[in-house]
Amino acid sequence: MTAQQPLSTLVRVSVFLFLLSAFFGIYLPTAQCQMTFESIRFDGIASEDLLKIQKRFPSLSRNSIGKSELDEALRVLFKTERYEKLDAHLEGTWGSQKLVFTGQTVRSIKSIDISGNSEVNDTAIIKALGVEEDQSFQRMDFIEANREILTLYSKAGFLNASSEIRKEDASASSVNIYVDIHEREPCRIDNIKFETTNLAFERSLQKVVRRYKGKIFTSTTAPNLRQEILEFLVENRFLNAQLSDASINISPDKTKVDIAFSVENTNNYVLFFEGNEFYDHFSITKALRLNSSDRFGLNPSSEIADRLKQAYLRNGF
């Protein structure tokens, strides 16, 4: 989507002041010199703002204003945040110029119409736009809004989605916003691979993750998948197995993805307890933190013995 942005008020002001300086520079060598016109007119300027600048710059009643005062008058109007466009220009021929202030008040958003979306709801898209109905249209950034919408779709697994945001004037004081979504085909999981020399272990992991195949690849897929594998390792006593982060390989057309993990130290451990008169099997397992994600190092046997010893010491043994 492309959107043409209007020149900022400050740029318009600067350009106008430059032209005035060039036009009157021979006669007005300093910024404090007064410029006198046949008339000074205000088009589209709110009455309260007009009273404010007339009071601040009394020379306006005599159709006269200094160059620095003109700059300041435009700044005063700009700071009201009441105007979407604001400038000043000359009309007429040499010797009978008229100075005209023109302002276009900020327009409100009358309606927001969203079409083509089924995977992301209207509420989320409106939040991405950064504006709502009846709010100021001036606050809307088309480029940023489009970027936020595409981010939503990327997180939902629709990497080929596109959006177009456009406006149409509803009246002199309001606009309608239209958001056209093209979701297209999502990105689905094609394959999940495990880099390990333990083939039996690899087959067990494939049983854990097989339900993910063919599913849409969202922003939460990889972390959820990794967490499920870690839980499998804990439950099956692969005490010191090391699982890498997911490696993601998306196809050029962004409709398929391969996910790969590297797994090391794939030996599982069977624990037997003897001599435990005061604590049962469950209590010892809990003390050893075997069912947590707190992984063991290269020597699980030594670490288990140390954890067990510390547990007994904490309880007075």
Side-chain angles (χ1 to χ4, degrees):
M1 182 200 72
T2 59
Q4 185 176 2
Q5 301 294 327
L7 287 174
S8 69
T9 299
L10 292 179
V11 171
R12 291 176 178 271
V13 170
S14 299
V15 171
F16 174 69
L17 292 178
F18 172 79
L19 292 175
L20 283 180
S21 299
F23 198 66
F24 293 101
I26 297 174
Y27 305 99
L28 305 169
T30 71
Q32 299 304 319
C33 293
Q34 292 293 109
M35 298 178 288
T36 301
F37 305 92
E38 183 177 278
S39 65
I40 298 179
R41 191 173 78 243
F42 298 88
D43 294 340
I45 305 300
S47 57
E48 58 265 43
D49 295 334
L50 178 56
L51 290 173
K52 182 188 298 183
I53 63 172
Q54 285 177 333
K55 182 177 180 180
R56 184 161 178 175
F57 307 107
S59 62
L60 287 173
S61 62
R62 302 188 298 274
N63 295 329
S64 179
I65 190 171
K67 288 190 288 186
S68 61
E69 291 176 335
L70 174 60
D71 185 18
E72 183 61 24
L74 288 169
R75 290 182 185 277
V76 169
L77 293 172
F78 178 75
K79 288 179 180 178
T80 66
E81 298 184 353
R82 201 191 311 274
Y83 302 96
E84 184 177 315
K85 295 180 181 179
L86 184 67
D87 70 359
H89 61 274
L90 294 174
E91 290 183 357
T93 58
W94 177 262
S96 61
Q97 282 88 12
K98 302 176 180 65
L99 178 62
V100 182
F101 289 82
T102 60
Q104 179 179 319
T105 55
V106 171
R107 291 172 290 175
S108 64
I109 297 174
K110 182 179 180 181
S111 68
I112 299 176
D113 182 79
I114 303 170
S115 62
N117 60 311
S118 60
E119 297 299 324
V120 178
N121 61 41
D122 287 2
T123 301
I125 292 177
I126 289 175
K127 184 177 180 181
L129 291 176
V131 293
E132 298 178 2
E133 291 181 1
D134 298 324
Q135 289 187 341
S136 168
F137 171 67
Q138 190 180 32
R139 294 176 51 189
M140 185 170 180
D141 184 332
F142 277 62
I143 296 175
E144 181 61 25
N146 190 63
R147 184 182 296 115
E148 289 294 324
I149 291 173
L150 294 184
T151 297
L152 287 177
Y153 271 96
S154 178
K155 290 180 178 180
F158 288 75
L159 307 184
N160 288 309
S162 65
S163 68
E164 180 183 2
I165 306 173
R166 53 192 173 85
K167 73 171 181 71
E168 291 182 4
D169 293 338
S171 67
S173 60
S174 65
V175 299
N176 295 324
I177 300 298
Y178 297 92
V179 183
D180 301 320
I181 305 292
H182 302 280
E183 293 181 336
R184 299 188 177 89
E185 186 178 353
C187 183
R188 296 185 182 275
I189 299 172
D190 188 46
N191 201 3
I192 302 175
K193 302 176 183 178
F194 295 96
E195 297 176 7
T196 176
T197 57
N198 188 334
L199 298 183
F201 174 74
E202 197 272 342
R203 286 193 294 270
S204 297
L205 288 181
Q206 287 295 345
K207 292 179 181 179
V208 174
V209 304
R210 61 187 175 189
R211 68 183 182 86
Y212 282 88
K213 293 182 180 180
K215 299 290 186 181
I216 295 176
F217 179 70
T218 71
S219 61
T220 61
T221 299
N224 288 347
L225 183 58
R226 187 175 188 277
Q227 181 59 36
E228 194 163 331
I229 297 169
L230 286 173
E231 291 173 0
F232 169 82
L233 297 178
V234 170
E235 292 171 1
N236 291 274
R237 301 291 184 258
F238 292 92
L239 299 182
N240 63 338
Q242 301 297 314
L243 179 67
S244 70
D245 290 332
S247 174
I248 308 300
N249 183 22
I250 298 174
S251 64
D253 64 359
K254 299 181 181 180
T255 62
K256 295 179 182 179
V257 61
D258 289 341
I259 305 174
F261 294 94
S262 174
V263 192
E264 298 178 354
N265 304 324
T266 58
N267 296 318
N268 67 324
Y269 291 76
V270 180
L271 305 182
F272 298 95
F273 301 105
E274 295 180 353
N276 51 314
E277 298 179 7
F278 293 93
Y279 299 106
D280 58 19
H281 181 278
F282 175 79
S283 298
I284 293 176
T285 300
K286 184 177 181 181
L288 292 176
R289 305 191 301 280
L290 296 178
N291 295 326
S292 73
S293 58
D294 188 6
R295 311 304 298 144
F296 288 86
L298 296 177
N299 192 346
S301 299
S302 176
E303 291 186 43
I304 287 174
D306 184 64
R307 290 187 186 186
L308 187 58
K309 178 181 178 181
Q310 295 301 321
Y312 271 92
L313 289 174
R314 286 194 297 269
N315 288 279
F317 290 88

